[in-house]
Amino acid sequence: MVIFLVCALTDWLDGYLARKLNQITDLGKFLDPLVDKLLVLAPLLSLIELGQIPAWGVFVILGRELAIAGWRVNQATISGANIWGKLKTVSQIIAIALLIAPLGESWRVPALAAFWVCVALTVISGVIYLLPSEPLKSQS
């Protein structure tokens, strides 16, 4: 769990420093979400193998991530994550940390609840990401 949280912290620190030092690049905006996906999906796949979480919840997360990654590649400009994407990532990190922490059986229900919250936020953030930013004008 400590290694996982250190990785998550360094990922956050990288983004923070890039913004603070005005070193944001299109490559960074493309690669950072990919690193986030690897950081999240690797432990989730391991938790499936260990029987700790249901596979379909992880497949929902994986499906959203693949859909958004594919959508982003086809955009003329690469945009950074919005607040919903950031909330999704934070909720995933919290859920994974609770699921892999050696906390005992009394933490099983809160850890699973955190997992389902992160699945819900993953779906919500995906829907929001794909919605047009401006309302469609009615055609006359």
Side-chain angles (χ1 to χ4, degrees):
M1 181 193 75
V2 171
I3 293 170
F4 172 75
L5 290 176
V6 167
C7 291
L9 180 63
T10 58
D11 179 52
W12 172 83
L13 184 61
D14 171 63
Y16 173 79
L17 290 175
R19 287 184 299 278
K20 187 81 169 168
L21 301 173
N22 199 25
Q23 298 291 314
I24 298 171
T25 64
D26 281 344
L27 180 62
K29 286 192 266 184
F30 177 75
L31 290 179
D32 186 63
L34 292 179
V35 171
D36 291 345
K37 288 164 188 37
L38 289 174
L39 178 69
V40 167
L41 289 170
L44 288 177
L45 292 172
S46 298
L47 288 165
I48 291 171
E49 181 67 23
L50 295 171
Q52 299 296 311
I53 54 175
W56 74 267
V58 176
F59 289 135
V60 167
I61 293 171
L62 177 61
R64 181 266 190 210
E65 301 300 352
L66 290 174
I68 298 301
W71 183 82
R72 290 181 85 196
V73 167
N74 290 315
Q75 299 304 301
T77 59
I78 301 171
S79 62
N82 62 24
I83 188 68
W84 288 98
K86 292 176 190 278
L87 285 172
K88 171 212 47 121
T89 301
V90 169
S91 72
Q92 290 171 340
I93 290 167
I94 291 169
I96 292 167
L98 288 172
L99 287 162
I100 64 177
L103 296 173
E105 193 60 32
S106 62
W107 280 89
R108 177 111 177 102
V109 171
L112 284 173
F115 172 72
W116 291 116
V117 167
C118 92
V119 171
L121 282 173
T122 298
V123 170
I124 292 166
S125 70
V127 168
I128 289 171
Y129 205 94
L130 294 175
L131 288 176
S133 57
E134 297 179 18
L136 296 175
K137 296 179 183 176
S138 62
Q139 298 176 349
S140 342

